[in-house]
Amino acid sequence: MSDEIIVSIISSIVVLIGLYWNDKRSTEKSDELLVNSALQNQYNRLNESLVTLETKLNDFYYPIRNYLEKSRSIYEVFKKGKPENFRTLTYLLDKKQLYDDSPYQLSINDRAFLKQIFQVGIEIERVIAEKGYLIDDPELIEPYLPSGEFIGDDAEFPYPENKSLLSIAQIHLSFIRLAFDGEIEGNIEDLSPYVFPRELNIIIENKIIDLKSKIKNIKNQQGVLIVKMKMKIDDKG
């Protein structure tokens, strides 16, 4: 075999080896890009969920929790010395009704406390009106069925059927101001179901705990993805 033929064969082998390694590197690069793209897509999807949850928490749940807590704190002061079965809305609808065979008269302080509660109530209504579209939690937007302990607590004032918890709260806040101003009165049988739903505070607090847990979980998943992507970059380097 001539030297020229041998050189030609060797050259062909070198070319084939080069083509093989180029194809192999190209395949590896393509696979690496696919893996990185998949990791990035996972991260982006998690980030979209994170933004949604944080928006709910910061724009709706935190503000309404703060207002509810402020209202509850004022109400606790207002409620001191009141009859055990005293409910503000039903009292304001009929101020002549008897408690343990005796009428009740609001004091100057009572009226001041109620006005403060009404102001906070307006803020609660504003949050619901402006940010309620963020909420898709069944406990808040589907017909409200009180849990066992609250059925017993409010058995005298069963909540209206087919009304959501947020809707009942909004209607209550409106009715109580109208009753205080004397624009509505009597008709307790129809309006008493709209006493304030005390379970709302608890449900809001539980939702905050749940959202914070979900946010923490997503951030942990993102952290794992960041480590994986960094490892890919380091391996490449």
Side-chain angles (χ1 to χ4, degrees), residues 81-133:
K82 302 292 187 299
E84 185 176 351
N85 60 338
F86 183 93
R87 294 303 295 267
T88 310
L89 176 59
T90 58
Y91 167 79
L92 293 175
L93 288 170
D94 180 10
K95 301 179 181 65
K96 296 179 181 179
Q97 64 184 293
L98 302 180
Y99 299 89
D100 298 326
D101 299 324
S102 299
Y104 187 85
Q105 183 70 36
L106 290 180
S107 67
I108 294 176
N109 288 355
D110 288 335
R111 298 180 68 83
F113 293 144
L114 283 178
K115 288 179 181 179
Q116 285 293 306
I117 291 172
F118 298 157
Q119 288 299 316
V120 178
I122 290 173
E123 294 301 320
I124 293 173
E125 289 181 276
R126 180 186 59 78
V127 172
I128 295 174
E130 294 180 359
K131 303 298 181 179
Y133 70 91

Side-chain angles (χ1 to χ4, degrees), residues 43-61:
Y43 184 91
N44 291 342
R45 286 195 296 271
L46 286 172
N47 204 54
E48 289 175 3
S49 298
L50 182 64
V51 169
T52 298
L53 295 177
E54 289 183 331
T55 300
K56 282 185 177 183
L57 191 63
N58 295 323
D59 290 3
F60 180 83
Y61 282 102

Side-chain angles (χ1 to χ4, degrees), residues 21-62:
W21 282 110
N22 284 337
D23 182 66
K24 187 173 186 298
R25 285 197 296 271
S26 177
T27 300
E28 290 175 348
K29 183 66 176 178
S30 178
D31 290 343
E32 181 182 319
L33 288 173
L34 287 173
V35 171
N36 286 339
S37 178
L39 291 174
Q40 186 64 53
N41 287 338
Q42 289 181 52
Y43 184 91
N44 291 342
R45 286 195 296 271
L46 286 172
N47 204 54
E48 289 175 3
S49 298
L50 182 64
V51 169
T52 298
L53 295 177
E54 289 183 331
T55 300
K56 282 185 177 183
L57 191 63
N58 295 323
D59 290 3
F60 180 83
Y61 282 102
Y62 278 153

